[in-house]
Amino acid sequence: MINMEPNATVRVVLKKGREKPVRMGHPWIFSGAIERVHGHPQAGDSCQVVTAEGSHLGYGYYNAQSVISVRMLSTSNTAFDADALRRRIRHALSLRHNLVSNETDSCRLINSEGDFLPGLIVDKVGAGLVLQILTYGMERFREVIVESLASCCSPEFIFERSDSDARKKEGLPKKEGVILGTVAEQIDIKENGLTYVVDVTSGQKTGYFFDQRQNRKLLRSFVEGKSVCDCFSYSGGFATNALGGGASHVDVVDIKSNAIAWAKENVSRNFPSDHRADFVCADIFKYLRDAPQKWDCIICDPPKFAKHANEVKRAARGYKDINLCALKKLNKSGVLFTFSCSQAVDVRLFRQIVFAAAADSGRQVQLLHSLTAGSDHPINIAHMEGEYL
């Protein structure tokens, strides 16, 4: 086991006036906020963080290779160690205890900064777990993490999907494979009474997007007897819920053929011999512009348009364009479910973008719900970057 006890020789001194976010609980310290570093830390080493005047702020882990040089783990006088990690894992699991039921057997168990464990993501997928370790500091805790998850959850398998670009930015190689047990090529999960097939080995992220669970369920209350278009459908989660809510017809659209095949599979598992759905492999922008028909409800859940702050302007144009296309294709009194999963596009900006598209569409528009991720994706209120959906 790697020793993660604090190294007293590693001391990160902030520039004058740069301590306020840390005092408020923000877990990130960027390289530009650091005045100097005492000691010779290796990537992922524990460090003490102090103000320019030398006042103690807490402990974190340090990585000079990352733009986010320190990720805070403790703001107390007690350093963060393996026992503290185990306690936080147990606490995160306890928060999800009531989410698992006869209708829902899968969810996010650990949500990185939202659970005060920056760089660690764990999803419960059926009877197993999918793990992502995205930072050097969490990589140093690998053995403790796996041992704790195995002990607390007794999973049939643990599969690692640490294949994100975030690892590269940390100076870490991508890592993927079975840690525990045996992983089936396809895994059946239950969500809100419906069944989905998940491919944890090659699907996006950890194989399934649990953050939309409550929004998919909400959709059912708007679609009875209505025509629906599920844009950027991916695995067909919204489409399946639309059919479950009694939609008269659902058009399922994605640019990737494998996504369309996956959506077909999920629809057929829940509604065999049901002919209310059509599946279209197409560019969604072009599809909406060229479509001769209109719909009563459109879901617009595109992939991330802005990965970085310098892509926000281009992303804003894309979000406005797709929402304008969707609004023009809604029947009178139609409902638009629209999302951004770009962390760099905050809630206020996204709302402004959608409102501008509504104004350009020439229609009167009402805001019915402000949607976000479910309670298994908690947000550290000092880290609003975690409010990405």
Side-chain angles (χ1 to χ4, degrees):
M1 183 179 295
I2 296 173
N3 180 21
M4 281 299 298
E5 295 298 325
N7 183 344
T9 64
V10 179
R11 198 162 181 250
V12 175
V13 182
L14 301 187
K15 292 179 180 177
K16 188 174 180 62
R18 303 301 289 271
E19 70 277 2
K20 184 176 180 181
V22 181
R23 290 193 190 281
M24 295 292 291
H26 200 288
W28 294 350
I29 299 176
F30 291 89
S31 57
I34 297 174
E35 180 66 36
R36 60 188 180 277
V37 178
H38 295 289
H40 303 282
Q42 300 296 311
D45 271 358
S46 175
C47 64
Q48 182 191 23
V49 180
V50 300
T51 68
E53 295 76 26
S55 297
H56 175 79
L57 290 171
Y59 293 97
Y61 54 80
Y62 181 79
N63 186 358
Q65 298 181 71
S66 175
V67 174
I68 305 172
S69 297
V70 178
R71 296 175 194 261
M72 296 296 293
L73 291 169
S74 169
T75 55
S76 70
N77 290 320
T78 303
F80 190 88
D81 58 13
D83 286 338
L85 174 69
R86 292 186 184 100
R87 287 194 296 272
R88 288 201 188 166
I89 288 175
R90 288 195 297 269
H91 178 69
L93 298 179
S94 71
L95 292 178
R96 278 74 171 183
H97 178 72
N98 292 329
L99 289 179
V100 177
S101 65
N102 291 332
E103 288 201 337
T104 299
D105 65 4
S106 303
C107 65
R108 174 146 297 180
L109 293 182
I110 299 176
N111 193 41
S112 194
E113 285 87 357
D115 283 301
F116 311 107
L117 290 168
L120 178 62
I121 291 173
V122 181
D123 282 348
K124 182 182 186 302
V125 182
L129 304 177
V130 181
L131 166 71
Q132 285 189 316
I133 297 175
L134 303 178
T135 57
Y136 236 116
M138 281 298 153
E139 182 70 26
R140 298 285 292 274
F141 278 117
R142 168 180 291 275
E143 293 180 24
V144 179
I145 292 167
V146 172
E147 172 264 319
S148 295
L149 292 172
S151 174
C152 294
C153 302
S154 302
E156 290 185 2
F157 67 84
I158 300 178
F159 188 82
E160 182 167 9
R161 283 292 304 271
S162 300
D163 54 358
S164 165
D165 288 341
R167 297 260 306 182
K168 183 177 180 180
K169 294 175 184 177
E170 288 278 309
L172 285 165
K174 294 183 179 181
K175 191 172 288 189
E176 182 178 334
V178 178
I179 295 175
L180 174 72
T182 303
V183 180
E185 184 176 341
Q186 293 184 334
I187 299 166
D188 286 343
I189 68 168
K190 291 189 293 183
E191 180 185 273
N192 296 324
L194 296 172
T195 302
Y196 301 91
V197 60
V198 175
D199 181 354
V200 301
T201 63
S202 59
Q204 292 185 37
K205 299 288 181 83
T206 59
Y208 188 76
F209 292 106
F210 293 107
D211 51 4
Q212 291 280 25
R213 183 188 68 257
Q214 66 183 26
N215 300 326
R216 287 189 280 258
K217 186 175 182 179
L218 177 66
L219 176 71
R220 299 182 196 176
S221 62
F222 286 91
V223 297
E224 185 175 4
K226 307 291 187 181
S227 60
V228 177
C229 184
D230 181 9
C231 301
F232 308 96
S233 64
Y234 189 49
S235 60
F238 278 107
T240 307
N241 277 271
L243 293 169
S248 60
H249 185 83
V250 181
D251 290 301
V252 188
V253 190
D254 199 284
I255 196 169
K256 293 184 177 180
S257 58
N258 60 340
I260 290 297
W262 192 359
K264 282 183 179 179
E265 174 71 13
N266 283 329
V267 167
S268 66
R269 280 173 177 250
N270 291 280
F271 304 99
S273 304
D274 192 319
H275 301 291
R276 287 178 293 157
D278 284 327
F279 300 86
V280 182
C281 185
D283 176 270
I284 285 84
F285 288 85
K286 187 175 188 302
Y287 176 80
L288 287 177
R289 289 192 187 100
D290 295 347
Q293 77 271 36
K294 291 185 177 183
W295 294 269
D296 300 313
C297 179
I298 296 176
I299 301 102
C300 185
D301 185 23
K304 187 183 296 186
F305 283 0
K307 294 182 179 180
H308 311 287
N310 60 6
E311 297 176 338
V312 168
K313 286 186 178 180
R314 178 183 59 80
R317 291 192 294 270
Y319 285 126
K320 183 178 179 183
D321 190 14
I322 194 63
N323 280 281
L324 180 58
C325 289
L327 286 162
K328 287 181 176 179
K329 293 298 181 178
L330 277 175
N331 286 323
K332 186 177 181 180
S333 299
V335 176
L336 172 65
F337 277 64
T338 186
F339 303 93
S340 160
C341 66
S342 297
Q343 185 183 76
V345 178
D346 62 26
V347 174
R348 182 178 179 182
L349 175 57
F350 186 63
R351 182 173 290 191
Q352 290 173 342
I353 292 167
V354 175
F355 287 3
D360 287 357
S361 73
R363 304 184 64 165
Q364 288 185 317
V365 175
Q366 296 169 287
L367 178 63
L368 300 180
H369 288 273
S370 292
L371 305 179
T372 187
S375 58
D376 56 339
H377 288 67
I379 300 164
N380 173 354
I381 60 172
H383 177 254
M384 296 315 295
E385 294 90 340
E387 191 176 6
Y388 64 92
L389 182 63

